[in-house]
Amino acid sequence: MSSPVRDLLAQLLAFDTTSRESNLALIHFVQSWLAEHGVASRLLHNDSGSKANLYAVIGPDTAGGVMLSGHTDVVPVEGQTWNVPPFALTEQEGRYYGRGSTDMKGFLACVLASVPAFVAEPLRLPLHLAFSYDEEVGCLGVRSLTDLLADAASKPALCIIGEPTEMRPVYGHKGKVAMRCDVRGHACHSAYAPQGVNAIEYATRLITRLMDEGDQLAEVQDSRFDPAFSTLQVGTISGGTALNIVPQSCQFDFEIRHLPDAPADAVIERIAQYAQCELLPAMRQKADGCSITFQPLSQYPGLLTDPTCRFASLLAEWCGCDRFSTVAFGTEGGLFHQAGMTTLVCGPGSMEQGHKPDEFISVEQIDACMKMLGNLTQWLRA
């Protein structure tokens, strides 16, 4: 059965906004939809002009109000076996299937479908809309938007990140730091292995040290999170060219997902110091030109909002649930919170379906989100 939110979701799913692709076609569609309803919007492009954030305000030009925020990019479908077309809406047994249906174009469709109601009401406070790019690759794109809002006189007071939480309110998640380590040794014939500097061997020593750091992180626990401690893991590694050549290079990527009040800076500093003060001198005793370098890949802060604050009470009323919790996945919420906006997470769908083949969102969850947005509209009206 056709409905405004279903039709909008179908159009959003048709845009392939995998993070490696441009999101401009979708953003221009959203901009046109808003313009049709008398809402002006601003685009904040990346350096190459291939992607953009969208920011719009409905209602009075004053400070405060509520922001609804979501990302437009999705994860790839390569390597997954889909039974439905990933970039099209398929409706079956009360579910809308398609890449991004739950993470998080379902929320975006609900917001857009609510625009006619937003503009029809005489709002006493502004309603802000923020749609970002490159969230799936480390919350990279939204930063120009948070920088803009941090210094804005009309900055929203409250922010709802519409990530899939099954419409349950979420007050916290961990932060993340992702790093790449490059180890460069000295190659030689493996018959003379002691004359070389084995990059894989030294990378292994670094990884072992990282695992020790991970064990120490596990000693500090916070039962509000699952797992209840900061975690560290090495996700990829590559090195060497042939078995009879002492490898000259090795590269590995690692990440730390840290509790909001336990930043990863100290861990990174200790690892770098170990590399510089213990491993490199030993490597350079055998060959000049050896090196160990670290490159940040991405990072975002954790989120920890007081679940007893006034905003939390309001969100519980709007979404009809007061069972606040935390989530294991990250969001852009910490960045908005750092920019001075009290931030909570609440949106339709479940991350159990996110990033998987045959991703879907239930019609029931869409309806629940529309109800929340309707309650928000009534609260905002003059």
Side-chain angles (χ1 to χ4, degrees):
M1 180 181 297
S2 180
S3 68
V5 67
R6 181 195 184 282
D7 294 343
L8 283 162
L9 179 58
Q11 294 179 82
L12 294 176
L13 293 177
F15 296 107
D16 179 358
T17 52
T18 307
S19 300
R20 63 172 177 264
E21 306 292 343
S22 171
N23 75 331
L24 289 183
L26 181 149
I27 286 293
H28 291 154
F29 166 77
V30 172
Q31 191 171 43
S32 296
W33 170 264
L34 294 175
E36 288 175 10
H37 294 86
V39 179
S41 58
R42 176 177 178 178
L43 302 188
L44 302 172
H45 291 85
N46 63 354
D47 291 340
S48 68
S50 62
K51 301 181 181 183
N53 300 312
L54 180 144
Y55 176 60
V57 181
I58 300 172
D61 183 19
T62 61
V66 180
M67 182 163 67
L68 302 173
S69 177
H71 63 83
T72 61
D73 60 317
V74 299
V75 297
V77 300
E78 284 78 13
Q80 298 182 340
T81 301
W82 283 67
N83 296 304
V84 296
F87 296 107
L89 184 145
T90 300
E91 183 176 357
Q92 294 178 356
E93 300 179 347
R95 296 173 174 177
Y96 296 140
Y97 289 84
R99 171 57 86 218
S101 53
T102 197
D103 185 19
M104 57 183 297
K105 292 180 178 179
F107 176 73
L108 301 185
C110 289
V111 172
L112 294 178
S114 301
V115 166
F118 294 148
V119 300
E121 297 289 349
L123 303 183
R124 61 186 173 85
L125 293 171
L127 179 71
H128 306 253
L129 307 180
F131 298 166
S132 67
Y133 66 90
D134 282 359
E135 188 272 349
E136 296 289 6
V137 289
C139 299
L140 301 180
V142 75
R143 295 167 195 268
S144 62
L145 183 54
T146 55
D147 288 346
L148 172 72
L149 293 174
D151 299 324
S154 56
K155 177 170 59 180
L158 314 174
C159 176
I160 299 173
I161 306 291
E163 290 277 7
T165 66
E166 297 181 281
M167 295 308 300
R168 293 195 291 263
V170 165
Y171 67 89
H173 62 72
K174 295 177 182 177
K176 176 183 172 180
V177 175
M179 302 285 293
R180 173 165 294 161
C181 179
D182 281 291
V183 180
R184 180 161 292 273
H186 180 71
C188 71
H189 195 291
S190 62
Y192 304 98
Q195 298 177 15
V197 179
N198 190 315
I200 292 178
E201 175 188 338
Y202 281 94
T204 302
R205 296 186 189 184
L206 265 175
I207 292 172
T208 300
R209 184 60 176 262
L210 280 168
M211 296 304 98
D212 291 341
E213 290 285 346
D215 291 341
Q216 293 181 40
L217 289 175
E219 295 176 1
V220 178
Q221 303 216 355
D222 186 334
S223 60
R224 294 173 295 182
F225 295 88
D226 182 21
F229 48 87
S230 301
T231 60
L232 189 156
Q233 70 105 19
V234 177
T236 66
I237 186 169
S238 61
T241 54
L243 184 58
N244 61 354
I245 301 174
V246 171
Q248 180 172 321
S249 64
C250 184
Q251 179 186 91
F252 63 90
D253 296 347
F254 66 95
E255 68 169 18
I256 304 172
R257 292 184 181 263
H258 59 87
L259 297 170
D261 54 0
D265 298 354
V267 176
I268 302 298
E269 184 177 344
R270 286 195 296 270
I271 292 298
Q273 186 174 20
Y274 171 69
Q276 294 296 319
C277 298
E278 297 191 36
L279 298 186
L280 265 181
M283 296 168 70
R284 288 173 176 171
Q285 278 186 349
K286 291 187 175 182
D288 294 332
C290 295
S291 64
I292 301 175
T293 58
F294 295 90
Q295 173 191 350
L297 298 177
S298 65
Q299 65 177 18
Y300 55 77
L303 175 68
L304 192 60
T305 299
D306 181 2
T308 66
C309 69
R310 174 58 177 157
F311 178 32
S313 299
L314 289 171
L315 179 58
E317 292 178 11
W318 300 336
C319 71
C321 178
D322 60 3
R323 300 191 305 275
F324 280 82
S325 64
T326 65
V327 289
F329 58 86
T331 78
E332 296 168 333
L335 292 165
F336 283 111
H337 199 80
Q338 282 187 345
M341 291 156 274
T342 302
T343 301
L344 295 167
V345 185
C346 185
S350 169
M351 198 56 84
E352 286 295 315
Q353 280 75 56
H355 297 201
K356 294 182 179 179
D358 295 339
E359 178 182 350
F360 70 85
I361 190 168
S362 70
V363 176
E364 182 181 18
Q365 284 287 299
I366 291 290
D367 291 344
C369 186
M370 292 298 292
K371 184 177 180 180
M372 179 188 78
L373 295 176
N375 291 336
L376 169 62
T377 305
Q378 292 305 308
W379 183 81
L380 287 169
R381 67 181 297 181

